[in-house]
Amino acid sequence: MRRRASDFRRPVRRRLSCWIWALLLLSLIAGLVLFAVQHNYHDEDHVEQPVLEIHPRNVVHESRNITDEILSARSYARQLAEQMALAKAYVVIAKEHNNLHLAWELSSKIRSCQFLLSKAAMREEPISLDEAEPIIKSLAALIFKAQDAHYDIATTMITLKNFIQSLEDRANAATVQSTVFGQLVAESLPKNLQCIDIKLTADWLQSKSIQELAKDRRNSTRLVDNNLFHFCIFSDNVLAVSVVINSTISNAEHPKQLVFHVVTNGVKYGAMQAWFLSNDFRGATIEVKNIEDFSWLNASYSPVVKQLQDTDSRKFYFEGSHDSNFEPKFHNPKYISLLNHLRFYIPEIYPQLEKVVFLDDDVVVQKDLTPLFSLDLHGNVNGAVETCLEAFHRYYKYLNFSNPLISTKVDPQACGWAFGMNVFDLIAWRKANVTTRYHYWQEQNTDKSLWKLGTLPPGLLAFYGLTEPLDRRWHVLGLGYDLNIDNRLIETAAVIHFNGNMKPWLKLSIGRYRPLWEQYVNRTHRYLQDCATS
């Protein structure tokens, strides 16, 4: 039978096989399930917080720190922070390529992002989708625009590297500047203390009775009586010395047995005399001497005097050094003050004394110190608290052990100790010729190759092998720089030391420790009241 032409044939009905229908049905079901899960997830995002507010027992997101939010991988705060970091990088690159409009747009969005993060930190709640979505989208668009501006990876890396180097240079400069400013504040005398010094000096010059009283006390037998307890302080700060003496007397069982030997310079001599002769110190004896009267302490006898009078040394201290690696603290003019070096000449200053306790002017005494005089130093000259429990107080941290003069005579791991509260056996001192040892090391260090500056390094050398370690509770250091000293350590200390730049009489002092010093300031003195309001 002849077949019909193709135009007249009926179209063939093709049926889909069963497995295709099954596959389509499964895909449809899977799509519905995914849609339901996704819809439920978004609903949770939008209604989670209101529901939690209605049912506080089911709280999941309590007040949350913004740092925790940023660390959370799924938080909007994390996404905003990452976008902001990338946008900041493109701001730098856009400016480098003079695309200021793009840089302005990115900066504007960065500010919006910072404002939102700040707002979230203040309210201590997570950032919601409604808050984050507009900023995320706009920042993403701008970042894509920046990437589309042909800022390739190589360009980005070079630009950012240069920018980071620039920031590091600025940070280093700011650190040095901050150190210098802090040092200047530490070196300067506050206005109220200058006022007190001027008024006291005027009293000394105008009052003949005070001068006569000073002459009468100068020859007191108590000054050389070795049955009494002798303390020496070398300073030009009247109020600081007053606090040291007040605190020592206040905590002594027998104040009348105490004798204080103060040495100051010619400028402050009158003020010191007027202060200590016009105040009551519960029967304790106080002697004030002028360092300019020590005619024996001259350049021919003392190498340190010769060095301090050197023109180059004075120029270094007062004009500074061009060496950028030299620490700013070493430009402190206190290093050129002979008062700072008098501690090495105590036997010469007080030839009739046998034992003294040396105190710095930035210490506060909290317990009776007279038991120090009965301590057995086992033939040693210096009784001091060792500081090697702290990381930086070993000998190798202070001295140049690349020099054979040091390395062949001194153990680099030897334990350092503290100046500020020291018991000196002057009989053993004279026998060991400690001052001669000090002169020897000063002569070897004329070029500052053994140590930089200060009195502790030559002290470590002069008293090497002659130091008796004391119980740490006798002397606690760090109140002039360390904010985290244990309160229990401070409470049990016999002497607390405000070593560092943050002296208690300065505004930059550490507020936590300042009351420990202020409680021994004589607030009733008329000059303290007048100068505090002037």
Side-chain angles (χ1 to χ4, degrees):
M1 184 178 177
R2 190 165 56 99
R3 298 181 65 182
R4 295 183 183 181
S6 60
D7 294 339
F8 298 99
R9 293 177 188 168
R10 288 182 300 177
V12 178
R13 293 182 180 177
R14 298 183 180 180
R15 297 182 180 180
L16 295 173
S17 61
C18 293
W19 67 269
I20 294 177
W21 280 109
L23 184 61
L24 288 173
L25 184 60
L26 288 173
S27 299
L28 180 62
I29 293 170
L32 290 172
V33 171
L34 288 173
F35 176 80
V37 170
Q38 187 69 15
H39 185 267
N40 186 56
Y41 176 79
H42 283 294
D43 285 347
E44 285 181 359
D45 280 347
H46 287 289
V47 303
E48 182 181 25
Q49 193 67 20
V51 171
L52 292 174
E53 290 175 0
I54 296 171
H55 303 287
R57 288 177 296 178
N58 297 328
V59 170
V60 175
H61 293 290
E62 296 178 353
S63 61
R64 193 169 183 184
N65 187 289
I66 190 64
T67 304
D68 296 331
E69 272 291 289
I70 291 175
L71 292 176
S72 175
R74 297 181 61 183
S75 69
Y76 295 118
R78 170 73 170 269
Q79 190 171 347
L80 285 168
E82 289 177 349
Q83 278 193 313
M84 187 168 62
L86 187 57
K88 286 180 179 179
Y90 279 117
V91 167
V92 176
I93 298 170
K95 287 181 178 180
E96 289 288 331
H97 290 78
N98 207 30
N99 193 343
L100 301 182
H101 181 70
L102 177 58
W104 180 86
E105 287 183 305
L106 286 166
S107 298
S108 177
K109 291 303 176 184
I110 289 170
R111 285 193 293 271
S112 299
C113 184
Q114 290 172 332
F115 177 76
L116 180 56
L117 290 172
S118 175
K119 184 179 175 183
M122 291 290 290
R123 72 188 184 197
E124 296 185 347
E125 292 179 2
I127 297 173
S128 67
L129 175 64
D130 291 337
E131 292 174 313
E133 188 175 22
I135 298 178
I136 290 173
K137 286 184 176 179
S138 56
L139 260 178
L142 286 172
I143 290 171
F144 178 78
K145 183 178 178 181
Q147 291 173 339
D148 197 45
H150 306 294
Y151 299 150
D152 57 85
I153 297 297
T155 302
T156 303
M157 289 178 65
I158 293 172
T159 304
L160 291 181
K161 184 178 179 181
N162 293 336
F163 184 68
I164 290 170
Q165 184 62 48
S166 174
L167 287 178
E168 287 180 351
D169 293 341
R170 287 166 60 186
N172 291 335
T175 301
V176 172
Q177 190 177 49
S178 175
T179 304
V180 171
F181 288 159
Q183 193 67 45
L184 287 173
V185 174
E187 294 166 13
S188 60
L189 192 67
K191 181 181 177 182
N192 62 323
L193 297 188
Q194 292 178 347
C195 169
I196 294 169
D197 288 347
I198 292 170
K199 290 179 178 291
L200 288 170
T201 302
D203 284 353
W204 169 256
L205 295 174
Q206 297 170 5
S207 176
K208 295 297 181 182
S209 60
I210 296 179
Q211 295 181 27
E212 289 297 327
L213 184 59
K215 288 181 181 179
D216 292 341
R217 294 190 179 182
R218 192 174 299 164
N219 298 318
S220 171
T221 57
R222 291 173 57 85
L223 298 176
V224 293
D225 187 350
N226 284 297
N227 293 316
L228 301 177
F229 305 106
H230 296 265
F231 300 84
C232 56
I233 309 165
F234 308 136
S235 172
D236 60 355
N237 188 324
V238 177
L239 197 61
V241 174
S242 174
V243 168
V244 176
I245 294 176
N246 281 341
S247 62
T248 306
I249 291 171
S250 299
N251 293 285
E253 292 186 8
H254 305 287
K256 292 183 179 180
Q257 296 181 7
L258 306 185
V259 181
F260 295 90
H261 304 270
V262 179
V263 180
T264 188
N265 56 32
V267 176
K268 299 297 179 69
Y269 176 73
M272 286 279 188
Q273 287 283 25
W275 178 274
F276 290 111
L277 290 172
S278 61
N279 285 284
D280 176 45
F281 294 94
R282 296 172 59 185
T285 300
I286 302 173
E287 174 197 36
V288 178
K289 286 189 174 185
N290 185 350
I291 192 174
E292 294 174 9
D293 293 334
F294 299 162
S295 57
W296 52 269
L297 190 57
N298 50 52
S300 61
Y301 170 67
S302 170
V304 71
V305 174
K306 184 177 181 180
Q307 291 174 24
L308 294 178
Q309 292 178 352
D310 182 68
T311 304
D312 292 337
S313 295
R314 300 185 71 87
K315 184 177 180 181
F316 169 81
Y317 290 118
F318 291 104
E319 296 182 15
S321 169
H322 298 294
D323 184 0
S324 59
N325 295 323
F326 209 78
E327 295 182 51
K329 69 177 183 179
F330 290 124
H331 294 293
N332 193 330
K334 78 174 184 179
Y335 292 116
I336 205 167
S337 170
L338 195 53
L339 287 173
N340 198 43
H341 298 267
L342 275 188
R343 62 196 69 187
F344 297 103
Y345 298 99
I346 294 174
E348 285 80 5
I349 300 171
Y350 310 108
Q352 294 175 287
L353 296 184
E354 297 176 354
K355 183 174 283 190
V356 300
V357 169
F358 167 76
L359 297 173
D360 263 338
D361 65 356
D362 54 354
V363 306
V364 171
V365 178
Q366 300 187 130
K367 298 185 185 302
D368 187 6
L369 295 187
T370 55
L372 285 170
F373 291 84
S374 59
L375 287 178
D376 184 1
L377 298 183
H378 300 99
N380 288 309
V381 176
N382 173 30
V385 170
E386 291 184 332
T387 54
C388 53
L389 292 178
E390 300 176 28
F392 54 90
H393 282 117
R394 298 265 178 193
Y395 268 52
Y396 71 89
K397 287 291 186 180
Y398 297 98
L399 304 169
N400 178 17
F401 277 87
S402 64
N403 191 309
L405 194 62
I406 296 289
S407 58
T408 58
K409 296 183 179 182
V410 180
D411 177 10
Q413 292 297 329
C415 195
W417 44 267
F419 263 136
M421 196 292 297
N422 303 79
V423 187
F424 290 126
D425 183 335
L426 301 185
I427 296 175
W429 182 312
R430 297 180 184 102
K431 184 178 180 180
N433 292 320
V434 174
T435 303
T436 303
R437 293 175 63 170
Y438 169 67
H439 284 172
Y440 167 78
W441 286 113
Q442 285 288 359
E443 288 169 347
Q444 301 304 313
N445 193 45
T446 52
D447 59 353
K448 296 183 177 62
S449 61
L450 303 185
W451 68 86
K452 291 181 180 178
L453 290 169
T455 54
L456 183 56
L460 295 175
L461 291 170
F463 293 102
Y464 183 65
L466 299 172
T467 299
E468 179 70 15
L470 303 181
D471 189 298
R472 292 191 74 203
R473 289 171 293 182
W474 280 113
H475 187 192
V476 171
L477 298 99
L479 280 76
Y481 67 88
D482 188 350
L483 282 71
N484 300 307
I485 303 175
D486 192 331
N487 282 329
R488 292 169 296 181
L489 194 61
I490 293 175
E491 290 168 2
T492 58
V495 174
I496 52 175
H497 196 167
F498 289 82
N499 57 311
N501 282 342
M502 300 180 187
K503 302 300 184 187
W505 53 84
L506 300 175
K507 288 184 178 180
L508 54 72
S509 61
I510 300 173
R512 176 188 162 202
Y513 308 134
R514 193 184 302 120
L516 300 171
W517 184 84
E518 289 181 335
Q519 64 179 315
Y520 295 107
V521 176
N522 183 6
R523 297 292 180 185
T524 62
H525 196 283
R526 67 185 190 278
Y527 289 161
L528 271 177
Q529 296 174 357
D530 293 345
C531 292
T533 57
S534 62

